[in-house]
Amino acid sequence: MAYFDFHHHHFGKQAGIYNLGVGESPPNGFFSAGFHPDLSLKFSEEQFVWLREISKHENCVAIGECGLDGLINIDDAIQEALFKRQIELANKRQKPLIIHCVRRFSQVIHFQKKAKVPMIIHGFNKRKNIADDLQKHDFYLSFGKSVLQNVNLQEFVKHFPTDKLFLETDDAEFDLQLLYQKVAELKNLNVENLILQIEENLKIFNISLIK
Ligand SMILES: [Zn+2]
């Protein structure tokens, strides 16, 4: 059984979804491909053609990370235009969207109406009222390292539905097993059952896990 790393930037790591860099050659395992909102001004149409092609790859299981970021110095309208194009691509490929969102949750909830595929907010570490709102709108949430330290977040994870949850390292270096143990403990589950539930959740990606 593997500790599936839902979103990470560690090329070559097995059991997880690698976030492919723009123009990068894919690894052997699963990956996601998309434009981070940081790239809203920098991406070229040529790169978008690359994304359209690479997203057909059988190991490309999701579009992303993509989304909206209120802390970067790029107009909302410009970020939203790129986000919308990626939602349309995800609909076309029928692959879920891995979302990067900073301070733009109500907008992301609004954009969800355009998506015909599941949306997963990665690296979630925000307040309970935001999380409740996302939960009400049927988002999946992926939690990372913050759960190990943030007591409020721990309290939230405790009550968040296990069938809507993923765990990830993102770009951090730490032992993912510790996060699985922490979440299992919070939810009063044993780690094996948590792993099994997350494998079950991964069915939204139409991927079969190599055991
Ligand atoms: Zn990331």
Side-chain angles (χ1 to χ4, degrees):
M1 286 212 266
Y3 295 94
F4 195 86
D5 193 346
F6 178 75
H7 170 83
H8 72 84
H9 297 260
H10 313 287
F11 190 90
K13 181 175 185 176
Q14 296 303 312
I17 301 173
Y18 174 67
N19 191 88
L20 193 69
V22 175
E24 190 182 12
S25 309
N28 290 327
F30 301 126
F31 66 92
S32 65
F35 296 104
H36 191 281
D38 272 350
L39 299 170
S40 302
L41 285 172
K42 280 184 258 169
F43 84 99
S44 64
E45 285 308 315
E46 209 173 56
Q47 286 173 328
F48 206 90
V49 171
W50 167 83
L51 178 59
R52 227 179 273 143
E53 286 307 310
I54 200 84
S55 60
K56 292 178 189 162
H57 195 296
E58 60 171 351
N59 284 345
C60 179
V61 295
I63 304 299
E65 56 184 298
C66 59
L68 303 172
D69 191 325
L71 286 183
I72 57 174
N73 200 9
I74 300 176
D75 276 1
D76 281 12
I78 293 171
Q79 294 191 37
E80 286 172 6
L82 177 59
F83 185 32
K84 190 165 161 266
R85 286 181 72 177
Q86 295 183 90
I87 294 173
E88 285 160 1
L89 180 62
N91 288 342
K92 198 164 159 191
R93 298 281 178 266
Q94 298 193 322
K95 294 182 178 181
L97 284 146
I98 297 179
I99 308 291
H100 167 98
C101 181
V102 178
R103 296 193 185 174
R104 288 294 180 271
F105 288 98
S106 54
Q107 288 87 335
V108 166
I109 289 172
H110 172 80
F111 272 99
Q112 190 199 26
K113 295 187 189 81
K114 299 187 189 301
K116 300 186 184 98
V117 294
M119 279 180 153
I120 308 95
I121 308 272
H122 100 83
F124 188 82
N125 60 3
K126 292 297 175 285
R127 293 190 311 275
K128 187 180 178 315
N129 60 335
I130 296 175
D132 287 343
D133 213 16
L134 292 167
Q135 195 181 322
K136 213 163 54 202
H137 286 87
D138 226 26
F139 280 83
Y140 288 77
L141 299 183
S142 178
F143 300 92
K145 201 180 174 191
S146 322
V147 175
L148 295 174
Q149 299 117 1
N150 182 333
V151 180
N152 294 329
L153 193 58
Q154 289 173 2
E155 189 53 32
F156 174 73
V157 167
K158 195 187 278 185
H159 303 287
F160 186 75
T162 315
D163 63 357
K164 283 289 170 67
L165 166 152
F166 295 104
L167 300 173
E168 64 177 55
T169 60
D170 199 1
D171 52 5
E173 298 285 346
F174 70 99
D175 187 354
L176 186 62
Q177 193 177 338
L178 296 176
L179 183 58
Y180 269 80
Q181 277 159 358
K182 183 74 203 172
V183 171
E185 179 195 312
L186 288 167
K187 301 183 91 51
N188 214 357
L189 287 169
N190 63 44
V191 179
E192 288 69 30
N193 287 340
L194 178 61
I195 290 174
L196 286 173
Q197 180 61 55
I198 286 179
E199 287 183 2
E200 188 67 26
N201 301 351
L202 286 164
K203 286 186 176 158
I204 58 169
F205 292 95
N206 299 316
I207 56 184
S208 51
L209 295 166
I210 306 117
K211 297 266 170 85

